[in-house]
């Protein structure tokens, strides 16, 4: 499998609230399913040094950010790319104190006047207070004049009723007062434990302390500040040309578990200095979400807080674009998709306990929706995922995952490949099947599994990871 590019690279609100658009057997279980032997081979990633971390009570020295203490960096981790400033955005981080251990847990992004925005949010029927807030305010101001983003880690502020909604409103109000703007011009995001009301006073206390710490080049620190069970920060950066003018696109994301369509970002924030209308942003974000954020899955569970926000500051001085199909946007569209693809696949590389990065491709389906459903069934099957963890090319489990979808499939033409190796074809084990070659392939960290169901011409792909004891360990003590 070709290694995905290192990170460089509303939903249409799939809940339809924002824009109405779519957003066999396992070999030795003891060793094979224990990720520690593989995980510990990778040195702890230091990342960028954190700067400007403040707390109201103490001024503690800055430290490299980590997610939960004791988690080794994923063996599939990739380094953050260089991420120069993007005109029209300044970044500050702080320690508000939502975690017992010392770490930054608050991110504030300030945007230039005239910034436009679009968003995609979880389809979860029990959305969080910040999700509700963003949907409502984006609708109210039609994505125009967005002045700031406030994101906290450690408390999801989800399933918190009116108290949680009031905390979100007070947070927006506190930031709006300092920026002399409207509450609806402030976007909010939260991540962490569900069922705990956000203590917004902790955020308000940090606002005067960080006022002089905003930096244009703090993308790495921003990526670290929003981590929860993530083991490495995630970011992507690209440049594009719009009518001969260079524009920048930078994005950060967090997510490690509870990752499944639609949409599977957990949190993603992307900023460009291009001059794009909110409608264009919404169209492009929606267009590329299906093949990026909505095509990754760690565990089949969808978060209450999933949020992807795309901002355009207009600081590059490029011509204003008000139509998503404008030919001048061709290069920008390609680079935006690259950024989104990189962020999405980094989530899989940091899947809780993951030791294998897996791309599942389904071809020959009756429709794209059918192909996607079959690919997702394979990617989320515990039997398939544990077989990959055990480095067992048990293609019989893939047959199971295909058939259980009840999608149209021609059994006598079904074909399965692991990389270039043919496991099954014409509805039976391949005459060229080589167990030794297959076992050697399964030892790779990056796997590609292709299935042709033999009934049509449609295709789809889904990125996923294996399922190891590490996933159980991380989630078994999540709140500790």
């Amino acid at each position: 499998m070709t290694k995905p590019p290192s990170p460089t690279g509303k939903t249409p609100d799939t809940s339809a609230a924002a824009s109405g658009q779519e957003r066999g057997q396992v070999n030795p279980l003891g060793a094979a399913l224990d990720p520690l032997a593989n995980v510990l081979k990778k040195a702890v990633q230091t990342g960028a040094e954190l700067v400007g971390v403040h707390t109201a009570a103490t001024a503690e020295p800055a430290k490299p950010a980590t997610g939960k203490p004791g988690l080794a960096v994923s063996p599939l981790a990739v380094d953050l790319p260089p991420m120069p400033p993007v005109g029209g955005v300044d970044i500050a981080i702080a320690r508000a104190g939502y975690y017992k251990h010392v770490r930054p847990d608050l991110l504030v992004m300030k945007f230039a006047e005239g910034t436009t925005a679009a968003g995609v949010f979880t389809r979860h029927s029990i959305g969080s207070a910040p999700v509700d807030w963003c949907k409502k305010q984006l609708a109210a101001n039609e994505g125009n004049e967005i002045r700031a983003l406030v994101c906290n880690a450690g408390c999801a502020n989800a399933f918190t009723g009116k108290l949680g909604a009031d905390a979100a409103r007070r947070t927006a109000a506190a930031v709006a007062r300092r920026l002399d703007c409207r509450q609806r011009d402030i976007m909010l995001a939260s991540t962490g434990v569900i069922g705990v009301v956000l203590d917004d006073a902790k955020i308000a206390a940090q606002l005067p302390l960080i006022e002089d710490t905003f930096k244009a080049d703090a993308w790495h620190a921003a990526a670290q500040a929003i981590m929860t069970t993530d083991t490495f920060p995630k970011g992507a950066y690209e440049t594009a040309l719009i009518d001969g003018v260079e524009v920048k696109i930078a994005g950060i994301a967090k997510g490690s578990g509870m990752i499944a369509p639609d949409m599977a970002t957990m949190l993603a924030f992307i900023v460009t200095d291009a001059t794009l209308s909110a409608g264009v942003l919404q169209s492009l974000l929606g267009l590329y979400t299906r093949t990026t954020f909505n095509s990754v899955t760690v565990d089949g569970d969808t978060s209450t807080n999933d949020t992807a926000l795309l901002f355009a500051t207009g600081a590059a001085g490029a011509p204003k674009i008000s139509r998503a199909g404008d030919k001048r946007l061709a290069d920008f569209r390609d680079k935006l998709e690259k950024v989104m693809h990189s962020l999405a696949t980094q989530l899989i590389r940091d899947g809780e306990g993951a030791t294998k990065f897996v791309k599942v491709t389904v071809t020959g389906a009756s429709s794209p929706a059918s192909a996607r459903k079959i690919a997702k069934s394979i990617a989320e099957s515990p039997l398939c995922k544990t077989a990959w963890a055990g480095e067992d090319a048990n293609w019989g489990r893939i047959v199971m995952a295909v058939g259980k979808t009840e999608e149209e499939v021609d059994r006598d033409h079904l074909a399965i490949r692991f990389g270039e190796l043919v496991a099954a074809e014409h509805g039976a084990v391949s005459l060229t099947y080589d167990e030794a070659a297959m076992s050697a392939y399964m030892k790779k960290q990056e796997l590609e599994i292709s299935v042709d169901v033999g009934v049509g011409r449609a295709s789809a792909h889904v990125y996923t990871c294996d399922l190891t004891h590490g996933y159980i360990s991380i989630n078994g003590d999540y709140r500790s």
Side-chain angles (χ1 to χ4, degrees):
M1 170 194 248
T2 301
K3 184 175 182 178
S6 63
T8 65
K10 223 153 297 103
T11 347
D13 175 11
T14 50
S15 68
S19 71
Q21 298 177 327
E22 185 216 58
R23 170 182 103 122
Q25 291 182 351
V26 178
N27 289 334
L29 286 171
L33 294 184
D34 189 343
L36 292 179
N38 287 329
V39 171
L40 294 177
K41 290 179 182 178
K42 187 173 182 72
V44 173
Q45 183 185 38
T46 59
E49 291 279 324
L50 289 178
V51 293
V53 181
H54 298 275
T55 177
T58 60
E60 301 182 46
K63 297 180 180 180
T66 60
K68 188 170 183 176
L71 293 182
V73 175
S74 168
L76 307 173
V78 291
D79 293 331
L80 276 165
M83 298 181 69
V86 175
V89 58
D90 289 304
I91 301 167
I93 64 170
R95 182 191 175 212
Y98 293 110
Y99 286 94
K100 299 174 184 176
H101 55 288
V102 177
R103 54 152 290 175
D105 53 10
L106 178 64
L107 163 67
V108 180
M109 289 187 182
K110 254 186 343 186
F111 302 116
E113 293 185 10
T115 294
T116 54
V120 180
F121 307 94
T122 182
R123 293 176 59 105
H124 203 287
S125 60
I126 307 175
S128 67
V131 165
D132 290 345
W133 175 269
C134 287
K135 288 181 183 179
K136 181 179 179 180
Q137 309 316 324
L138 283 175
N141 59 20
E142 298 182 332
N144 296 312
E145 296 298 336
I146 303 303
R147 297 301 311 281
L149 163 69
V150 182
C151 176
N152 73 276
C155 176
N157 198 17
F159 199 58
T160 50
K162 186 178 185 302
L163 292 177
D166 288 344
R169 176 186 52 77
R170 288 192 299 267
T171 298
V175 177
R177 283 194 296 271
R178 304 201 77 84
L179 297 181
D180 192 24
C181 65
R182 302 167 300 183
Q183 293 181 29
R184 72 187 196 188
D185 300 335
I186 310 300
M187 295 291 101
L188 304 176
S190 298
T191 181
V193 176
I194 295 171
V196 177
V197 176
L198 181 72
D199 183 351
D200 57 282
K202 292 182 176 181
I203 295 177
Q206 295 305 308
L207 297 180
L209 299 179
I210 66 173
E211 210 156 62
D212 297 327
T213 70
F214 281 91
K215 298 176 181 293
D217 60 350
W219 287 104
H220 286 198
Q224 293 167 324
I226 63 175
M227 293 165 59
T228 52
T229 58
D230 305 64
T231 69
F232 66 91
K234 303 162 185 66
Y237 188 93
E238 290 288 340
T239 60
L241 291 177
I242 296 179
D243 203 21
V245 178
E246 183 179 87
V247 300
K248 302 176 179 65
I249 309 170
I252 59 173
K254 65 81 53 187
S256 187
M258 206 182 289
I259 300 291
D262 295 315
M263 29 85 58
T265 59
M266 289 294 289
L267 299 179
F269 310 127
I270 305 170
V271 184
T272 178
D273 54 8
T275 308
L276 305 175
S277 71
V280 168
L281 295 179
Q282 190 66 59
S283 295
L284 296 181
L285 186 58
L287 177 65
Y288 297 125
T289 291
R290 174 169 289 278
T291 55
T292 59
F293 295 140
N294 278 3
S295 290
V296 299
T297 179
V298 168
D299 48 21
D301 285 337
T302 300
S303 169
T304 56
N305 289 57
D306 290 343
T307 297
L309 293 168
L310 174 59
F311 304 91
T313 69
K320 182 176 181 178
I321 306 293
S322 300
R323 190 170 56 86
D326 194 309
K327 292 181 179 180
R328 293 173 293 177
L329 274 183
D331 188 41
F332 181 88
R333 287 193 295 263
D334 289 344
K335 298 301 176 55
L336 175 62
E337 182 179 25
K338 190 173 182 181
V339 166
M340 292 171 65
H341 180 273
S342 176
L343 293 175
T345 54
Q346 287 179 63
L347 300 180
I348 296 305
R349 292 180 173 278
D350 204 14
E352 290 171 340
T355 65
K356 305 286 186 183
F357 177 93
V358 185
K359 180 181 180 182
V360 178
T361 301
V362 172
T363 57
S366 58
S367 69
S370 179
R372 175 179 165 83
K373 184 175 180 180
I374 294 169
K376 189 166 176 271
S377 177
I378 297 168
E380 293 181 349
S381 164
L383 287 177
C384 291
K385 294 166 77 70
T386 50
W388 303 332
E391 300 181 342
D392 180 8
N394 193 330
W395 56 270
R397 292 185 174 182
I398 295 174
V399 173
M400 174 279 298
V402 170
K404 75 175 184 178
T405 64
E406 299 184 5
E407 291 296 307
E408 185 179 2
V409 172
D410 186 337
R411 180 189 61 189
D412 296 331
H413 286 87
L414 186 69
I416 301 171
R417 292 175 180 265
F418 287 72
E420 296 300 318
L421 303 174
V422 181
E425 56 187 341
H426 307 303
V429 64
S430 172
L431 296 177
T432 62
Y433 182 84
D434 185 333
E435 179 69 24
M438 198 69 77
S439 295
Y441 178 78
M442 294 302 295
K443 295 185 182 301
K444 295 178 178 289
Q445 282 191 334
E446 300 187 11
L447 307 174
E448 185 161 2
I449 295 169
S450 305
V451 180
D452 192 298
V453 297
V455 296
R457 302 178 63 180
S459 63
H461 65 266
V462 170
Y463 295 94
T464 190
C465 59
D466 55 348
L467 177 61
T468 71
H469 284 310
Y471 182 89
I472 298 171
S473 298
I474 292 169
N475 285 286
D477 63 357
Y478 179 73
R479 296 198 301 165
S480 63

